[in-house]
């Protein structure tokens, strides 16, 4: 079935009848756009419109499907050919509809899978007390702020401060200041016991004739053991490597390899400078308050 030929045939007959596309459309109860699409060969008239269209153009359905007026000697052969072409055209149209239907179903299934995946990800994050990623569920969720790491660092600072305050003083106004960088917080017993690996800078200053002076200081790696006892975090033990030839051996025994690798960079990556700067700020605030 040659749609382009049929469309051209319809247009020629319409013009022979002196009809515009709008007038023919009005007679058939369709839009002028439908007539235009027929004549351009883009679509075919529906089966229900073929008889009324042929009546208006004064042709047979056989003529319409052939795209030309058929002479009687060829009428039967052309008729059979048009029936086969019509069946083939209908099959193609049905297959096209089926294909569109399948594509729509696949798209819907993909959308359902994507939405279900998004929902599962968010629910998993909610169960783990994390911020949701998507906001497609009609509500938002913000996890409860977890301050246990900050509380552990406070416990370490209090431990180091108390340790410094209990050491013998060389000057009456002497005060110890601590700054540290945590490299790894290792949970050993869920919410109860932790190993914390940190680099600690400790310095002592005193005031003499309104001048701030440094007494002593250290810059060493620490392993802290922190436990959650009676609703608070407490440092129950700490270890540092021994000096001299035992330093390397103790570092291997106390600290994981990844932590040791990071600690080897403290002099070059700005860690010591930052920790010293923090202590300078503490000193100025303390003695100038």
């Amino acid at each position: 079935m040659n749609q382009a030929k049929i469309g051209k045939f319809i247009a020629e007959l319409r013009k022979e009848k002196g009809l515009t596309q709008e007038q023919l459309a009005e007679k058939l109860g369709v839009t002028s756009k439908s007539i235009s699409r027929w004549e351009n060969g883009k679509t075919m008239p529906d089966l229900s419109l073929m008889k009324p269209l042929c009546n208006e153009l004064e042709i047979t359905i056989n003529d319409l499907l052939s795209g030309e007026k058929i002479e009687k000697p060829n009428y039967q052969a052309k008729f059979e050919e048009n029936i086969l072409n019509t069946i083939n055209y209908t099959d193609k149209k049905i297959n096209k509809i089926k294909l569109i239907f399948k594509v729509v179903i696949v798209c819907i299934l993909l959308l359902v899978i994507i939405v279900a995946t998004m929902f599962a990800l968010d629910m998993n994050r909610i169960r783990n007390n994390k911020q949701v990623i998507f906001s497609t569920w009609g509500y938002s969720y913000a996890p409860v702020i977890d301050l246990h790491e900050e509380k552990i660092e406070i416990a370490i600072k209090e431990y180091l401060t108390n340790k410094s305050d209990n050491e013998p003083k060389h000057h009456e106004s002497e005060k110890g200041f601590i700054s540290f960088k945590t490299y790894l917080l290792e949970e050993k017993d869920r919410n109860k016991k932790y190993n914390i690996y940190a680099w600690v800078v400790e310095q002592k200053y005193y005031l003499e004739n309104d001048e701030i002076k440094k007494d002593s200081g250290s810059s060493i790696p620490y392993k802290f053991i922190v436990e959650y006892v009676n609703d608070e975090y407490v440092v129950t033990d700490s270890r540092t490597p021994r000096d001299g030839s035992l330093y390397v051996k103790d570092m291997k025994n106390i600290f994981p390899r990844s932590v040791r690798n990071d600690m080897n960079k403290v002099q070059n990556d700005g860690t010591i400078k930052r920790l010293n700067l923090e202590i300078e700020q503490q000193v100025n605030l303390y003695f100038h308050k």
Side-chain angles (χ1 to χ4, degrees), residues 242-250:
R242 288 169 290 182
D243 293 332
S245 60
L246 297 174
Y247 181 84
V248 174
K249 180 181 178 181
D250 285 352

Side-chain angles (χ1 to χ4, degrees), residues 249-286:
K249 180 181 178 181
D250 285 352
M251 285 293 290
K252 288 182 179 180
N253 291 334
I254 298 172
F255 301 94
R257 177 179 294 181
S258 60
V259 173
R260 294 201 309 270
N261 291 338
D262 289 337
M263 286 181 171
N264 287 336
K265 305 171 186 175
V266 291
Q267 298 294 342
N268 299 322
D269 64 5
T271 296
I272 299 299
K273 290 182 179 179
R274 181 179 64 79
L275 296 178
N276 284 329
L277 182 61
E278 289 180 4
I279 286 181
E280 286 180 18
Q281 293 174 332
Q282 294 176 36
V283 170
N284 288 327
L285 287 172
Y286 180 80

Side-chain angles (χ1 to χ4, degrees), residues 5 11 23 27 51 78 87 98-99 107 123 137 141 145 177 191 207-208 226 251 254 259 265 270:
K5 183 179 179 182
Q23 289 172 333
K27 289 177 179 289
K51 184 61 177 174
K78 202 67 178 175
I87 293 172
K98 287 182 178 179
L99 178 61
C107 290
M123 292 307 296
W137 326 121
Y141 172 80
I145 296 175
F177 301 90
N191 296 327
L207 200 62
E208 186 176 82
V226 178
M251 285 293 290
I254 298 172
V259 173
K265 305 171 186 175

Side-chain angles (χ1 to χ4, degrees), residues 158-219:
E158 289 178 352
Y159 170 81
L160 292 171
T161 300
N162 291 334
K163 177 172 169 285
S164 175
D165 290 344
N166 289 329
E167 292 175 351
K169 291 185 178 182
H170 302 116
H171 305 276
E172 185 178 349
S173 62
E174 186 177 287
K175 173 66 179 173
F177 301 90
I178 295 99
S179 180
F180 64 92
K181 176 181 178 178
T182 301
Y183 283 93
L184 177 64
L185 190 153
E186 191 176 54
E187 190 173 32
K188 303 303 289 183
D189 183 8
R190 186 168 179 79
N191 296 327
K192 289 188 177 181
K193 190 172 183 179
Y194 304 85
N195 289 340
I196 292 88
Y197 304 95
W199 193 277
V200 178
V201 172
E202 298 179 88
Q203 294 179 4
K204 292 185 178 181
Y205 287 83
Y206 63 95
L207 200 62
E208 186 176 82
N209 298 324
D210 292 331
E211 183 180 354
I212 299 173
K213 292 187 177 183
K214 183 177 179 181
D215 181 65
S216 61
S218 64
S219 178

